[in-house]
Amino acid sequence: MKNRYLVPFILLTTLFFLWGFAHNLNPILIPHLKKACQLSDFQSSLIDGSFFIAYFIMAIPAGMVMKRYGYKTGIIAGLLLFAIGAFLFIPAANTRVFGLFLTALFVIASGLTFLETAANPYMTVLGEPEGAAQRLNLAQSFNGLAATIAPLLGGLFILSGNTLTSAETASMSTEQMSAFLDGEAATVKLPYLIIGIIVLLVAVLLYKSKLPEITEAGHDIELPSGSQSIMRHKHLIWGIAAQFFYVGAQVCVSSFFIRYLGKTAGIDEKTAANYLSAALLCFMVGRFIGTFLMKYISPNVLLAIYALVNIVLLTVVVIYGGMISVYALIGVEFFMSIMFPTIFSLSIQSLGKETKIGSSLVIMSIVGGAIFPLIMGRMSDLMSIQVAYSVPLLCFFVVFYFGWKGSKVKV
């Protein structure tokens, strides 16, 4: 990499870390706000809903802003939205109004939509073309690092570890309960204040840095003549479905992880956060191992095998509970590791000039992360968190079919 690209590369790599960190604080926020705002499982699942729906709503506006004003302006706008959302956690905690927390998360995710839309194309031009894939993999490794660190720091600074028994709750006056809940809500203020300041600092550094221009000719999305023709690619249609169900499953597995450990294995929330961090470390390691295995096993076959393993592991989670299911959930994280990029690459293969629009459709399917946690939260309220894990279990059947048969290109 040429020296003139080194500083921009470092700054842009921080974006991968920042959005990975923000994503993986949600599994900490779900049990925390459930307690602080006295929510049901369904209500707490709105945390993921408000977060992932932003990607679906803001994807087109983000693209329009960048088309008109450039990618650098889009990145700065994304960072500003990210910081504003982080700062909104302070009045949300002061008032303990759940709707304000959801607004803050929506604003953060809106900012991340801008960042994720811009970061990949920028990485491809920060050096020689033949090194583009290597630069992207290096940057994405920091996303995985953030996924491991976020639950650890979130568990340390956000989760208090204080859980009231029914007897303790009954013995407290209204004022005492209000003071307890205010104290719980307040733990998010300092972490998100620090996040907001760091994000603003990165925005200032990027604003003052010279970044290479990306010509629109290489990055615009153009509908092919007869735009409905994109639907003739059956493997793309199945890929969109697989990504929709996969992202839904991934968010369900991680977001209710701490809740599941507490209910079925009696593990306190701080310890459960450490287990989650270990699980996400397995996710990161799984990416490297899966990439190595693809030298010997075709990606679609490996995807089908991994999906089938997760079906088995989640069956254990639904039926048994206890520590065996804790380890099964950690295993699920490992076997999810290759799924997003593998589904993505298989979905857009052989699309030719329709690759860009096909890619956009697959990316928009991540809205599954907003829908399935709501279903899972409702099932948990009506039945149990253990039974609710049947939601991601069923999702992996779609992923399995895509790897086994749906990903085959028909000419």
Side-chain angles (χ1 to χ4, degrees):
M1 183 186 302
K2 295 180 180 178
N3 289 334
R4 66 192 176 97
Y5 291 138
L6 181 59
V7 172
F9 175 83
I10 293 172
L11 289 174
L12 287 171
T13 298
T14 63
L15 302 183
F16 286 80
F17 183 89
L18 288 172
W19 80 59
F21 196 88
H23 271 277
N24 290 283
L25 277 180
N26 285 356
I28 298 295
L29 288 176
I30 286 174
H32 179 69
L33 294 182
K34 175 178 168 54
K35 176 171 56 175
C37 298
Q38 297 183 298
L39 309 172
S40 66
D41 281 337
F42 174 77
Q43 290 171 321
S44 67
S45 69
L46 291 171
I47 290 171
D48 282 324
S50 65
F51 197 89
F52 283 94
I53 199 67
Y55 279 85
F56 186 78
I57 293 173
M58 296 301 294
I60 293 176
M64 293 172 65
V65 168
M66 291 179 198
K67 180 178 180 180
R68 179 161 185 174
Y69 300 105
Y71 278 83
K72 182 175 179 179
T73 299
I75 290 174
I76 301 301
L79 288 168
L80 291 177
L81 284 170
F82 189 170
I84 291 169
F87 293 141
L88 281 175
F89 266 77
I90 296 173
N94 288 337
T95 58
R96 208 161 26 91
V97 174
F98 184 52
L100 193 48
F101 280 112
L102 296 181
T103 301
L105 287 165
F106 181 86
V107 174
I108 288 175
S110 296
L112 300 188
T113 305
F114 280 79
L115 300 185
E116 295 193 44
T117 300
N120 286 336
Y122 251 125
M123 279 297 174
T124 64
V125 299
L126 289 179
E128 299 300 328
E130 58 270 20
Q134 184 180 14
R135 290 192 298 275
L136 277 171
N137 281 323
L138 177 59
Q140 287 169 357
S141 69
F142 284 86
N143 187 279
L145 178 63
T148 304
I149 293 174
L152 280 176
L153 294 181
L156 181 63
F157 294 105
I158 294 177
L159 296 179
S160 67
N162 298 323
T163 302
L164 298 177
T165 64
S166 299
E168 289 173 330
T169 301
S171 67
M172 295 175 73
S173 66
T174 303
E175 292 77 14
Q176 288 174 322
M177 176 58 70
S178 180
F180 172 78
L181 296 176
D182 286 344
E184 289 293 310
T187 62
V188 302
K189 291 195 287 189
L190 181 59
Y192 276 90
L193 174 64
I194 294 172
I195 290 171
I197 292 171
I198 291 172
V199 169
L200 280 182
L201 178 61
V202 174
V204 171
L205 292 174
L206 278 167
Y207 177 76
K208 293 186 174 183
S209 298
K210 283 193 173 184
L211 299 180
E213 294 295 331
I214 298 179
T215 58
E216 291 187 351
H219 295 276
D220 275 352
I221 296 173
E222 298 178 1
L223 287 171
S225 57
S227 59
Q228 295 301 318
S229 64
I230 191 74
M231 304 307 292
R232 75 185 185 277
H233 300 290
K234 299 302 181 184
H235 71 285
L236 172 63
I237 296 173
W238 275 110
I240 292 168
Q243 201 72 289
F244 176 80
F245 281 90
Y246 163 67
V247 175
Q250 182 192 25
V251 175
C252 285
V253 169
S254 299
S255 294
F256 289 93
F257 187 98
I258 292 175
R259 177 97 172 123
Y260 182 89
L261 267 60
K263 282 291 184 179
T264 68
I267 298 174
D268 68 89
E269 60 183 18
K270 279 185 169 291
T271 304
N274 292 334
Y275 274 101
L276 177 60
S277 182
L280 293 173
L281 177 62
C282 288
F283 182 93
M284 182 176 68
V285 172
R287 279 193 168 168
F288 291 103
I289 294 176
T291 301
F292 172 77
L293 291 175
M294 284 181 191
K295 293 181 180 180
Y296 308 99
I297 305 172
S298 62
N300 67 298
V301 172
L302 193 63
L303 178 66
I305 293 172
Y306 274 29
L308 194 59
V309 171
N310 272 350
I311 290 169
V312 173
L313 290 174
L314 283 167
T315 300
V316 172
V317 169
V318 171
I319 293 175
Y320 292 101
M323 287 307 298
I324 186 174
S325 291
V326 173
Y327 297 128
L329 271 182
I330 293 174
V332 170
E333 289 284 354
F334 177 91
F335 287 103
M336 287 194 299
S337 58
I338 66 162
M339 291 187 178
F340 186 95
T342 304
I343 293 171
F344 185 89
S345 61
L346 291 174
S347 300
I348 63 172
Q349 62 182 328
S350 304
L351 293 185
K353 66 180 181 179
E354 297 170 310
T355 298
K356 292 175 184 174
I357 183 63
S359 299
S360 297
L361 293 172
V362 178
I363 289 296
M364 290 185 75
S365 69
I366 68 173
V367 73
I371 295 171
F372 287 103
L374 299 178
I375 299 172
M376 187 171 176
R378 187 60 176 163
M379 282 189 65
S380 180
D381 288 333
L382 294 175
M383 289 172 272
S384 71
I385 188 65
Q386 192 167 334
V387 173
Y389 264 90
S390 60
V391 172
L393 188 159
L394 293 173
C395 288
F396 282 115
F397 277 99
V398 180
V399 178
F400 169 75
Y401 179 82
F402 176 70
W404 172 56
K405 191 173 181 180
S407 60
K408 294 179 181 178
V409 179
K410 295 180 180 180
V411 294

